[in-house]
Amino acid sequence: MAQKSVPIEIWSLIFVECLPSETFIRPSPSTAPLSLCMVSPLWRDIALQTSKLWSSMHVSYKNSWMALDSESSDGQMSPKEELVHLWLARSKNVPLSIKYEAYRAPFGEGPGFTNIVRAILENAHRWEHIVLWGHHIFRQDLDVLLPDAEGRRRIETPRLKTFSLEAESEYDWVPPCVSNIWPTSPLLLRFAIKGACDFGILHQHSDDEELGDPPENPSEPNFYKFATVQYRQLTHFILSTLIPAKDVIMLLSAIPGLAHFDIQKVADPCLQPGHIRPHIYLPNLRHLAIGGYTSENGATSEAPRGILDSITVPGLTSLALVNLGTDLEWPRNIMTAFIKRSQCSLIRISFEDVGMASRRQNSDFLDFMDLNPTVEFVHVGGQTRWDPAQRTFKEGWLQPKEFYHLRRINPSTGRFVYCPNMREFSTNSRAMS
């Protein structure tokens, strides 16, 4: 009787507080909300009426000849399908947080996989936080299941705040239908595409044919139209697909409130000939990662250097540079001007293949470290190189003098000698702290 005297609204608030703290909750009978349904008929009724209890879901789908959650042989839905549909139905119309991991066998997907993807996409208007991860998940399924712009319904995501597309295979492509999200996501704060090969439509092919080549133009104009005034609230942007440097400049110019910016494959050109490069002030940027792109003929893009020369980031604490060209010189003047102009207090530095060691002075990196006395974590990697004079392999990108000074530790204090504030120094083959 005491339980029944408590208003259902109070019970609902209590039940919501019993949910695990994770953003994406794995359904389990040992945790809420399923555990609440097993206490008593009253609790079950209250839990089923509390839509927010069912608004978060972390589900994995395994499709292989030995998977335990594969499709039923009689054509009925598998337990995994039933679980997803049940969760979505009980959540009613509240915003959704979904993480979907698809482990696919190379023999193709079954109807269960397709049905789960379709069910998630049909509720795109309720997405708030969405993470789609998988192996070969993006080859064709999203394009097949999502309506395109040719007279058919397009998805709308008016509640979306976080969107992450994480492809396990480098042969996965980002489907063009992803661009439908931008015009309908005014609340978007975090956006990430990781691991996918490129944007574009996968070429039609049979099971015995190889995948088609990526399109010649790595950027779709409609894709970058989302960086307008209404998206100035975007704080996190991560992209691992190929993108021209001019589009990076445009993104940075359009979204001044960025706090985390990670672009892994920047290609030339930076700007069209005759254009004046704009200078961009980013006061909120804390993490910046830029990677160059190496073409099939071995040429490395110089565009990341132009980007560094175009921005001022006074609040930057983490800087990661990858593949600025082992065939190119260390951009001494650009890096010096970037740090002095920004006057930032870096905490983390990570450099991988940022210049040919043989073309650098013995103190280039030490001079750079002198400009950053606040650095605590340093990683320097690169291709291991052969020193013909000493007939031995050297530690990649660092010059011997630099490596010697950076790794020295004061035995009495236990701290690094050259950089007293540094807490960890690592290379490709070793780490010191």
Side-chain angles (χ1 to χ4, degrees):
M1 295 297 296
Q3 291 185 6
K4 293 183 179 180
S5 64
V6 179
I8 292 179
E9 293 78 9
I10 301 299
W11 279 116
S12 295
L13 293 175
I14 295 173
F15 283 5
V16 170
E17 293 299 320
C18 296
L19 290 172
S21 59
E22 294 84 357
T23 302
F24 308 101
I25 300 174
R26 285 190 179 275
S28 171
S30 61
T31 59
L34 291 179
S35 62
L36 299 174
C37 296
M38 301 177 183
V39 176
S40 69
L42 175 63
W43 279 34
R44 175 181 171 80
D45 291 340
I46 296 174
L48 294 181
Q49 296 179 47
T50 308
S51 302
K52 193 172 182 179
L53 288 175
W54 314 92
S55 63
S56 174
M57 176 172 51
H58 183 174
V59 61
S60 301
Y61 180 87
K62 299 178 181 179
N63 179 39
S64 68
W65 64 271
M66 60 182 301
L68 297 178
D69 55 357
S70 58
E71 289 76 27
S72 176
S73 58
D74 57 5
Q76 298 180 354
M77 286 195 301
S78 68
K80 191 72 68 175
E81 289 180 76
E82 292 181 348
L83 176 66
V84 171
H85 284 83
L86 180 66
W87 225 261
L88 293 173
R90 290 180 176 179
S91 63
K92 297 179 182 178
N93 197 39
V94 298
L96 293 173
S97 297
I98 299 177
K99 183 174 183 179
Y100 179 49
E101 298 174 320
Y103 300 86
R104 302 251 317 267
F107 312 110
E109 75 280 3
F113 171 83
T114 301
N115 291 338
I116 291 177
V117 173
R118 180 181 287 112
I120 294 175
L121 295 176
E122 287 176 347
N123 287 272
H125 62 284
R126 294 200 285 140
W127 288 356
E128 184 174 29
H129 305 285
I130 184 76
V131 176
L132 301 176
W133 182 96
H135 181 68
H136 302 315
I137 182 175
F138 308 121
R139 286 194 176 187
Q140 59 181 350
D141 302 284
L142 295 186
D143 282 331
V144 171
L145 300 175
L146 275 177
D148 60 21
E150 298 178 359
R152 290 180 284 178
R153 180 177 58 86
R154 300 170 65 178
I155 64 170
E156 295 184 359
T157 53
R159 301 177 176 180
L160 188 63
K161 295 180 180 179
T162 302
F163 180 79
S164 180
L165 205 61
E166 303 178 14
E168 175 68 10
S169 171
E170 64 179 3
Y171 297 107
D172 287 332
W173 287 34
V174 180
C177 54
V178 170
S179 62
N180 296 344
I181 290 175
W182 316 136
T184 61
S185 302
L187 303 179
L188 190 64
L189 296 176
R190 296 168 177 259
F191 169 80
I193 290 182
K194 305 175 183 178
C197 171
D198 214 330
F199 285 91
I201 300 175
L202 186 67
H203 294 185
Q204 297 295 328
H205 62 91
S206 66
D207 292 339
D208 298 329
E209 291 177 338
E210 296 294 333
L211 293 177
D213 294 329
E216 294 182 1
N217 184 4
S219 69
E220 295 287 340
N222 290 337
F223 173 77
Y224 298 104
K225 287 183 180 179
F226 83 96
T228 59
V229 175
Q230 64 174 324
Y231 293 100
R232 293 175 70 89
Q233 77 280 0
L234 196 70
T235 60
H236 289 65
F237 189 91
I238 301 173
L239 188 67
S240 63
T241 64
L242 187 62
I243 174 176
K246 59 183 179 62
D247 289 329
V248 176
I249 295 293
M250 187 274 295
L251 286 170
L252 292 173
S253 300
I255 316 173
L258 280 171
H260 185 110
F261 193 71
D262 188 333
I263 302 292
Q264 297 182 19
K265 295 180 182 178
V266 182
D268 292 323
C270 190
L271 286 173
Q272 295 296 328
H275 285 207
I276 299 177
R277 179 186 296 148
H279 197 83
I280 307 166
Y281 183 72
L282 301 166
N284 299 323
L285 192 62
R286 298 294 181 266
H287 173 83
L288 175 64
I290 304 177
Y293 172 72
T294 302
S295 62
E296 293 182 357
N297 61 13
T300 302
S301 167
E302 296 189 43
R305 302 164 184 247
I307 295 172
L308 290 175
D309 207 24
S310 302
I311 60 177
T312 298
V313 284
L316 193 69
T317 59
S318 176
L319 176 64
L321 301 177
V322 181
N323 193 21
L324 299 193
T326 55
D327 56 334
L328 302 173
E329 294 182 3
W330 160 255
R332 177 187 179 91
N333 294 336
I334 291 177
M335 296 300 298
T336 300
F338 170 72
I339 295 299
K340 289 185 176 181
R341 180 175 65 248
S342 298
Q343 295 185 356
C344 53
S345 299
L346 288 175
I347 303 298
R348 293 179 177 272
I349 292 176
S350 178
F351 290 162
E352 289 275 355
D353 290 328
V354 292
M356 182 174 285
S358 61
R359 296 185 184 179
R360 294 196 301 106
Q361 300 180 21
N362 286 334
S363 61
D364 273 348
F365 189 70
L366 296 179
D367 293 342
F368 179 78
M369 292 297 295
D370 289 339
L371 297 173
N372 299 278
T374 58
V375 171
E376 298 180 14
F377 304 92
V378 177
H379 173 77
V380 180
Q383 299 177 359
T384 303
R385 57 192 175 87
W386 173 256
D387 187 336
Q390 300 185 14
R391 301 185 62 79
T392 184
F393 285 99
K394 295 299 183 181
E395 191 62 47
W397 180 75
L398 285 176
Q399 297 282 15
K401 175 183 176 181
E402 296 169 331
F403 185 69
Y404 169 77
H405 283 289
L406 289 173
R407 71 175 183 175
R408 289 181 59 203
I409 295 179
N410 189 327
S412 60
T413 63
R415 306 181 70 176
F416 289 93
V417 175
Y418 196 86
C419 305
N421 289 326
M422 189 165 63
R423 296 166 56 187
E424 181 178 301
F425 169 65
S426 65
T427 63
N428 283 358
S429 60
R430 67 189 73 185
M432 302 178 65
S433 59

